[in-house]
Amino acid sequence: MDVITSVHQMKVFSARARAMNKKIAFVPTMGFLHEGHLSLMREGKRRGDILVLSIFVNPTQFSPSEDFEKYPRDFARDSRMAEGVGVDVLFAPEAREIYPPDHQTFIRVTEVTRGLCGKSRPTHFQGVATVVAMLFNIVMPHVALFGEKDFQQLVTIQQMVKDLHMDTEVLGMPIIREGDGLAMSSRNTYLKPDERKAALSLHRSLKRAEELILQGEQRVASIIEEVKKMLQSESLLRMDYIHICGPRTLQEIERIDGDAVVALAVYVGKVRLIDNFVYRAPRK
Ligand code: AMP
């Protein structure tokens, strides 16, 4: 596995690979890798001739009050894991090269970032879209893989790629969970044992929402009420939002009469966790 830290070297590598007709698959991450990340890499390995992984804790997607400084980092462990799944290039640039002091261009995807996490994190998706656009320009991937765990992020990137006529295919991949249902996340390491236990209600309440929908409940208000009740019965949790929306527009809906995503964000102590469930309606 090659480790590349320079933007120029990464571009040269990708230009050469493209000239040799190699298909580049790309998995962007912020590191502190877990099985969720590895599942994207394994699929990337299947989809491309060359697999590029980036590890970059992107400062512009954190607000000043968020955890940028203390976001978990372990480059040595990440490198070993990346090598283990067959990553060809690990791209790990320095922040000062990605954002030189005179940097002033940002990408804002307006509609799909308005609700859900965009409400409590108003500049987050601008940071995400900007860094992903930069990484796409540098890595020049044919295909890029993102987790459905960050569903709004996936939709934002898909919208950006469409709007800006970019050539990268963006694939969404299923959420990988711990054995007890907790969605894997680098931020889970912040959880104390009692918080870790309380966090299981996220998945449990989503399972309940799924059950209701599969039983034929179409009224979004009733589903939300039931999910809220379950979450509120857990004293260590504080709800940020629970929404049910269309999976492309992320606009809230009132009735389930097609595909829908049930998305929630919850504070467990100081840790903000997100999770979701995508309902795919039977095709008529
Ligand atoms: P992050 O390092 O948290 O920015 O995540 C990098 C990529 O991994 C994003 O596309 C995430 O959606 C994806 N990802 C994170 N956690 C999971 C998970 N539990 N299952 C599937 N994909 C995930």
Side-chain angles (χ1 to χ4, degrees), residues 226-243:
E226 181 117 0
V227 170
K228 264 190 187 160
K229 240 193 278 163
M230 282 184 76
L231 291 171
Q232 282 163 351
S233 68
E234 188 54 74
S235 64
L236 290 177
L237 300 190
R238 187 164 55 82
M239 219 172 57
D240 179 358
Y241 68 76
I242 147 98
H243 283 312

Side-chain angles (χ1 to χ4, degrees), residues 124-247:
H124 172 70
F125 290 108
Q126 172 175 307
V128 170
T130 302
V131 82
V132 171
M134 289 176 174
L135 291 168
F136 282 7
N137 281 336
I138 297 165
V139 175
M140 297 181 264
H142 296 85
V143 56
L145 299 101
F146 290 82
E148 285 186 349
K149 155 87 181 354
D150 302 276
F151 197 83
Q152 192 172 16
Q153 167 172 287
L154 168 65
V155 173
T156 301
I157 299 305
Q158 283 171 330
Q159 188 70 44
M160 173 185 80
V161 162
K162 177 174 177 290
D163 290 348
L164 297 183
H165 306 282
M166 290 174 153
D167 280 331
T168 301
E169 179 190 4
V170 173
L171 281 179
M173 295 289 297
I175 301 178
I176 304 297
R177 299 179 179 280
E178 304 285 355
D180 58 10
L182 181 66
M184 289 193 182
S185 163
S186 308
R187 288 193 167 97
N188 290 350
T189 55
Y190 298 148
L191 296 170
K192 301 189 187 99
D194 53 340
E195 295 172 339
R196 170 75 181 65
K197 224 165 128 199
L200 295 179
S201 317
L202 275 80
H203 183 235
R204 228 179 273 138
S205 60
L206 288 170
K207 290 302 282 181
R208 180 67 188 133
E210 177 179 14
E211 206 173 85
L212 289 169
I213 295 172
L214 294 178
Q215 282 165 8
E217 178 60 85
Q218 289 189 298
R219 294 163 304 168
V220 161
S222 337
I223 301 167
I224 288 185
E225 195 180 326
E226 181 117 0
V227 170
K228 264 190 187 160
K229 240 193 278 163
M230 282 184 76
L231 291 171
Q232 282 163 351
S233 68
E234 188 54 74
S235 64
L236 290 177
L237 300 190
R238 187 164 55 82
M239 219 172 57
D240 179 358
Y241 68 76
I242 147 98
H243 283 312
I244 301 187
C245 16

